[in-house]
Amino acid sequence: MSELASTGVEATRRRLTGKQADTVDRLTAAAVEVLSREGYAGTTIRLVAAAAGVGTATAYTYFSSKEHLISEVFWRRLMSTPPLELGNADPATRVVAVLRQVSLLVADEPALASAVSSALLGDDPDVQHLRVRIGMEIRNRLSAALESRDPERLSMLELLYAGALLQAGMGLLTYQEVANLLEVSARRILADPASGS
C-alpha cells in the first residue's frame, strides 16, 4: 500500500484498496507533471490519465474534474506535511511558522501553485468537500499554535491566510512575499491589545 494511503489520505469519492491507492497516487503525480508542461488551461483528466498509464474512465472514477484532482494534490501535500513541533515558542512564533509552512507548500512549483488557487475556487461538490477539509486542517493547526480559545483572532488569521494566497494565486505577490506578509500581519494581529492580549 502507498505511503499516503497508509496515513489516511485518500481520494474523497471512495475508500481505496491498495491497488486503487496506487492508481490515485499515479494520477496525482501525473497531474503535477502535466500541469508543469501544459499549464492549468491545457491540463485535462484525459492527459493526466494518459501520463499515469490509466484509462480516462478509470481516472473519472476517482476524480470528478481536473479541479477535484488538483485540489486532491494540494490536500495530499498538506497532509503529508507534519504539524510543526515548536516546543516552548510563543504563540506568535508558532502561528507564523504554521502560516509560513502552509503558504509555501507549493511555492517551488509555479504551475501547481497557480492551478491550486483556481481549482479550490471551483464549485464541483468534490472540490467543495476538499476545500472544507483543507480549511479545517489549517484551522486546527492555527488553533493549536494559538493555544487559546480566541475565535476572533483565529478567524482573522484564517481570513489573512486565504486573502494572501488568493493574491499569490492571481500573481500579485510571490509566495515568498506572501509568507513574509503573513508573518508581519499575524504578529500585528497577535500583538494588538484591542484584540484581547
Side-chain angles (χ1 to χ4, degrees):
M1 189 178 302
S2 77
E3 180 179 314
L4 281 172
S6 67
T7 62
V9 178
E10 60 183 34
T12 58
R13 299 184 92 193
R14 60 193 300 183
R15 285 231 175 265
L16 302 176
T17 65
K19 183 177 178 184
Q20 291 168 332
D22 179 62
T23 300
V24 170
D25 287 347
R26 286 188 290 138
L27 286 165
T28 55
V32 175
E33 173 195 322
V34 172
L35 276 166
S36 67
R37 188 177 67 237
E38 303 292 333
Y40 181 71
T43 296
T44 64
I45 292 284
R46 182 179 305 275
L47 285 174
V48 171
V54 302
T56 303
T58 298
Y60 275 112
T61 65
Y62 299 104
F63 299 105
S64 55
S65 63
K66 79 175 176 181
E67 291 80 12
H68 179 208
L69 174 57
I70 293 164
S71 297
E72 179 77 18
V73 170
F74 185 77
W75 166 248
R76 287 166 169 256
R77 293 280 175 92
L78 178 62
M79 295 309 293
S80 68
T81 304
L84 295 167
E85 300 289 334
L86 296 171
N88 296 328
D90 63 278
T93 299
R94 290 192 306 268
V95 164
V96 165
V98 168
L99 289 171
R100 185 172 287 280
Q101 180 190 48
V102 175
S103 66
L104 294 175
L105 269 179
V106 293
D108 294 336
E109 300 166 273
L112 177 59
S114 177
V116 165
S117 295
S118 297
L120 285 172
L121 294 174
D123 60 1
D124 176 330
D126 290 316
V127 171
Q128 291 173 359
H129 178 76
L130 275 171
R131 193 167 50 229
V132 168
R133 289 177 77 179
I134 290 165
M136 288 305 299
E137 179 63 24
I138 294 169
R139 171 180 272 262
N140 290 340
R141 291 182 187 201
L142 286 171
S143 182
L146 273 175
E147 282 188 349
S148 69
R149 295 182 185 265
D150 191 341
E152 185 176 90
R153 282 188 182 176
L154 184 57
S155 293
M156 291 165 74
L157 291 167
E158 288 176 308
L159 186 59
L160 174 67
Y161 168 76
L165 284 192
L166 188 58
Q167 295 270 317
M170 293 187 308
L172 301 176
L173 297 171
T174 67
Y175 282 87
Q176 188 59 53
E177 289 170 330
V178 162
N180 295 339
L181 183 60
L182 283 170
E183 177 170 0
V184 169
S185 302
R187 287 192 184 280
R188 285 195 181 169
I189 288 169
L190 296 175
D192 181 7
S195 63
S197 91

